Amino acid sequence: MKAAKNISNLTELNEAIHELKLQKQELEFTIANHWNDLQENYPALLKNALFQKFPLLKKGNILITLLGIPAIQQNAQKIVNKLAEKAENALDNWIDRLLTRKEKDTPQN
């Protein structure tokens, strides 16, 4: 992040606001891309995490066989999507509350 600079006139203030809006758009775009990547890769990440944490889930186990059934995969994907949607909504709400709190805490001149 850039260090704060002294703003001495309205033009500089407008430029600073414009720069902040551009930074906000870039961050939102980056977050959206990372979120999409996470949603696309979540099943593989979950599977890898479970295999590392629980060695009983090795190849040939009945749970692995069940997870290989397309109907179960579809239901699991629906559940994962719902959980991801709820997490996304919770994150959006948290960000909105944080921004609202920051706006209230900012002194108005």
Side-chain angles (χ1 to χ4, degrees):
M1 286 177 83
K2 294 181 180 179
K5 61 180 182 179
N6 293 333
I7 297 173
S8 59
N9 58 39
L10 190 58
T11 304
E12 290 178 2
L13 177 62
N14 286 333
E15 289 174 2
I17 290 171
H18 180 71
E19 287 178 21
L20 289 172
K21 286 181 180 179
L22 289 177
Q23 288 176 0
K24 176 186 169 239
Q25 287 175 345
E26 289 175 13
L27 286 173
E28 287 174 346
F29 181 75
T30 302
I31 289 171
N33 282 339
H34 287 292
W35 184 251
N36 289 335
D37 290 344
L38 180 62
Q39 285 180 316
E40 290 172 7
N41 296 323
Y42 186 76
L45 291 170
L46 182 63
K47 182 180 79 171
N48 291 338
L50 286 174
F51 285 153
Q52 289 176 0
K53 184 142 182 134
F54 302 105
L56 294 174
L57 299 178
K58 299 242 187 256
K59 192 171 187 173
N61 190 320
I62 190 156
L63 184 58
I64 301 304
T65 305
L66 288 175
L67 290 176
I69 298 171
I72 292 177
Q73 286 178 345
Q74 289 173 351
N75 288 332
Q77 185 64 35
K78 287 179 187 176
I79 291 169
V80 167
N81 287 341
K82 286 181 183 179
L83 290 173
E85 185 177 321
K86 287 184 180 187
E88 182 178 13
N89 290 338
L91 183 62
D92 285 342
N93 291 338
W94 178 76
I95 289 172
D96 289 342
R97 282 189 305 212
L98 182 66
L99 291 176
T100 303
R101 188 179 314 147
K102 288 286 184 187
E103 288 173 1
K104 287 180 182 177
D105 291 345
T106 304
Q108 299 290 328
N109 289 338

